[in-house]
Amino acid sequence: MKVIDDDKEKLDQVEIILKSQRNKFKKKRPCVYFWTIIGLGLGTLFALFSIFQYKSLNFAIYNRKVLDDLTKKYLGYTTWDKLLVKSLFTPSFDYNSKTPRFYGEYFKKEDPGRYNATLNQAIAASASSPVAFDPLTLYNGFGIREELIDGGLICNSPSLYAF
């Protein structure tokens, strides 16, 4: 029965090692709990801060009505065919359909239902950076609602769409 006695000695040694490791863990347990609570608390504070910051970004800094009034005052309801410069176009982005809008005389002739905005509407749409102004809401010639924002947010160089 020598084999059983050797195994018993090895099992006793393993038991001693496990007991010592359990005692070390018990001594460290309050420290682990402390750092866990600190981490969860900081994570909660960060999440709350992020939510409040996100809510503050939902509102524009400037009033959309002021921009619309200024463009109407200085541009009136000028249409594209009454401009002296025929190559002017203003880029914006339709947030609903996720497509760019290039307002100008050429595009109005190509697709009059989609590009039926006046000059003041197109410039107001192109100036609608989401943090500064609320999007400009227009209904195109097909009766579809378009939420227009600044075209530079999606493509800073409109010439890239020419390819």
Side-chain angles (χ1 to χ4, degrees):
M1 295 306 241
K2 184 168 172 73
V3 173
I4 293 176
D5 290 337
D6 286 343
D7 288 341
K8 184 167 176 31
E9 287 176 15
K10 288 180 183 177
L11 286 176
D12 289 340
Q13 290 174 358
V14 168
E15 186 178 356
I16 291 170
I17 292 171
L18 287 175
K19 283 183 181 179
S20 68
Q21 287 180 351
R22 184 175 43 181
N23 289 336
K24 287 179 185 177
F25 177 74
K26 283 183 179 180
K27 289 178 184 176
K28 290 183 179 179
R29 189 180 300 174
C31 184
V32 170
Y33 289 149
F34 172 77
W35 287 112
T36 302
I37 291 169
I38 293 295
L40 287 172
L42 288 175
T44 302
L45 288 175
F46 179 73
L48 289 174
F49 178 74
S50 298
I51 289 169
F52 290 126
Q53 288 298 323
Y54 177 74
K55 285 184 178 182
S56 70
L57 289 176
N58 284 339
F59 302 103
I61 297 170
Y62 302 107
N63 189 353
R64 161 111 247 148
K65 186 174 179 344
V66 174
L67 177 66
D68 292 338
D69 290 343
L70 285 173
T71 56
K72 284 177 190 172
K73 177 181 176 183
Y74 290 106
L75 299 172
Y77 290 98
T78 306
T79 56
W80 294 98
D81 56 347
K82 294 193 172 133
L83 288 176
L84 296 176
V85 179
K86 299 299 180 192
S87 61
L88 176 70
F89 76 95
T90 59
S92 61
F93 185 77
D94 179 18
Y95 194 75
N96 290 340
S97 67
K98 308 288 189 267
T99 56
R101 295 283 184 260
F102 299 110
Y103 291 100
E105 186 178 3
Y106 171 79
F107 294 100
K108 185 169 173 88
K109 286 179 184 175
E110 289 293 315
D111 192 356
R114 185 165 289 152
Y115 295 100
N116 62 343
T118 59
L119 185 62
N120 69 332
Q121 291 171 332
I123 289 176
S126 183
S128 296
S129 179
V131 176
F133 295 105
D134 290 327
L136 177 68
T137 302
L138 288 181
Y139 290 90
N140 64 19
F142 304 114
I144 298 171
R145 180 180 169 184
E146 295 182 345
E147 297 285 333
L148 299 170
I149 60 173
D150 183 14
L153 295 173
I154 304 305
C155 183
N156 201 16
S157 177
S159 62
L160 292 176
Y161 277 103
F163 290 108

